[in-house]
Amino acid sequence: MLSSRAIRVWSWFHKWTSLVCTLFMLLLCLTGLPLIFHHEIGHLLGDEIEAPVLPAAMDAQRVSLDVMAKAANAVHPTRVIQYAGENEDDPRLWWFTLAPTPAPTEDFKSVAVDARTGLVVREYRVGEGFMDLMLRLHVDMFAGLPGKLFLGFMGLLLLIALVSGVVLYAPFMRKLDFGAVRKDRSTRVKWLDLHNLVGIVTLVWCFVVGATGMINTWADLLVKYWQYTEVSTLLAPYQGQPLLQARDRGPLQASLDTAMHHGQQRKVSFIAFPGTAFSSPHHNTIFLKGTTPLTSRLLQPLLV
């Protein structure tokens, strides 16, 4: 049983953490809703890229990854390919991200290539359109890493508000049935009962969304930690070696075949090219994923 002093302390935490994070949680809800239906909205707006219709006999054929990369690079010959990957919804398409340098940048282009013919289908609309606006507002509010960390802090306040709300729920509702809304009382009491009902019913969902969203804001920091701990250890034998020029690298398809051989029972998620944030200056890093609902979300990086 909480004392009156403890109830006041928990009430203070619940009130102020809720008030501070409410506006930003509303922003995330409003921007996150259209992102859930991004495929449907993309089709409606004509932004979705679909593979061309070819004879059924050609659907199973695949050209070399080097052919696809060359076709993508020909669209923007002054840029370098940073990343490439199979389209999650249509394996007949591969996407290639091109930027001025391998270093992380917001200046990038994305090209879709038909894996059956090696021909460019279309460029993705990068940095424009309604869905990109929603995505940027949802991820970092156009503020980069500081914006992500700020939203992560708002997520932490949401978790504190949820925990404090649970602590206060029993003292406030101990004389009422679960879900009771006292309609015969004042407007303030009715709103309080509705607040308690909605809060306790959506508790688990809100906690999962808040916790995972907060962790997602740490992505850039976790990548840097991975580079500092795991990748730096693997690159110790390469210290002092000159960097290979793009023309001196081995075939990209051979790198993928090697990775697929070592990562049996897995599919390719994406490829990070040398010098990018998810690779090293000396390797193609192939990220593989499993084939089950759980393992498809767990990536295994292989440096080749």
Side-chain angles (χ1 to χ4, degrees):
M1 190 70 178
L2 291 177
S3 66
S4 59
R5 176 179 173 78
I7 290 177
R8 287 198 301 271
V9 171
W10 281 108
S11 297
W12 186 90
F13 274 107
H14 186 65
K15 178 176 71 174
W16 287 107
T17 54
S18 300
L19 287 174
V20 171
C21 73
T22 292
L23 179 62
F24 299 98
M25 291 302 106
L26 178 61
L27 170 69
L28 293 177
C29 289
L30 293 176
T31 55
L33 182 60
L35 291 176
I36 295 175
F37 303 101
H38 67 97
H39 286 303
E40 291 79 4
I41 295 175
H43 280 292
L44 182 64
L45 299 178
D47 294 335
E48 286 291 296
I49 299 178
E50 298 181 349
V53 177
L54 297 177
M58 299 182 63
D59 274 344
Q61 75 178 26
R62 294 291 183 269
V63 300
S64 166
L65 195 54
D66 298 273
V67 173
M68 289 191 282
K70 185 176 181 180
N73 219 158
V75 178
H76 297 285
T78 61
R79 293 172 175 257
V80 297
I81 299 177
Q82 286 190 330
Y83 303 101
E86 189 178 80
N87 188 300
E88 289 187 2
D89 302 307
D90 189 347
R92 297 172 300 178
L93 294 176
W94 272 65
W95 53 266
F96 292 81
T97 299
L98 302 100
T101 66
T105 176
E106 296 295 330
D107 177 18
F108 64 91
K109 306 290 184 181
S110 190
V111 177
V113 179
D114 192 327
R116 302 162 298 176
T117 62
L119 299 177
V120 172
V121 178
R122 208 175 88 188
E123 281 196 61
Y124 291 94
R125 293 177 60 189
V126 176
E128 58 181 282
F130 171 75
M131 294 308 297
D132 185 80
L133 173 63
M134 293 296 100
L135 179 62
R136 289 298 306 276
L137 285 173
H138 190 80
V139 171
D140 60 13
M141 301 186 301
F142 292 92
L145 180 58
K148 291 181 181 179
L149 297 179
F150 176 79
L151 289 177
F153 179 64
M154 292 299 105
L156 176 61
L157 293 184
L158 172 64
L159 298 181
I160 296 174
L162 292 173
V163 171
S164 58
V166 171
V167 173
L168 294 170
Y169 182 79
F172 276 95
M173 299 295 293
R174 63 178 179 270
K175 295 181 180 180
L176 297 173
D177 294 332
F178 178 80
V181 178
R182 292 167 286 181
K183 298 180 181 179
D184 56 333
R185 301 289 296 275
S186 66
T187 302
R188 182 177 182 276
V189 171
K190 286 188 291 187
W191 276 109
L192 177 62
D193 289 345
L194 284 172
H195 171 82
N196 291 336
L197 174 60
V198 173
I200 202 66
V201 169
T202 61
L203 173 67
V204 174
W205 179 84
C206 288
F207 199 91
V208 170
V209 170
T212 55
M214 181 181 67
I215 294 172
N216 280 335
T217 63
W218 305 341
D220 292 347
L221 300 179
L222 292 174
V223 169
K224 292 183 183 299
Y225 178 77
W226 173 68
Q227 292 174 324
Y228 180 76
T229 56
E230 303 294 332
V231 177
S232 60
T233 301
L234 294 173
L235 295 183
Y238 293 87
Q239 292 294 327
Q241 292 191 17
L243 300 182
L244 287 178
Q245 300 299 316
R247 62 178 180 273
D248 299 323
R249 297 173 188 165
L252 185 58
Q253 184 65 49
S255 294
L256 179 59
D257 293 340
T258 300
M260 296 300 292
H261 175 73
H262 285 272
Q264 296 180 3
Q265 306 296 322
R266 301 183 77 85
K267 297 165 53 179
V268 62
S269 177
F270 71 96
I271 301 171
F273 283 64
T276 57
F278 286 87
S279 189
S280 86
H282 307 275
H283 298 81
N284 290 317
T285 302
I286 292 88
F287 287 80
L288 303 180
K289 60 183 179 180
T291 55
T292 68
L294 175 60
T295 59
S296 66
R297 302 295 178 181
L298 302 175
L299 299 182
Q300 176 190 16
L302 297 176
L303 277 72
V304 181

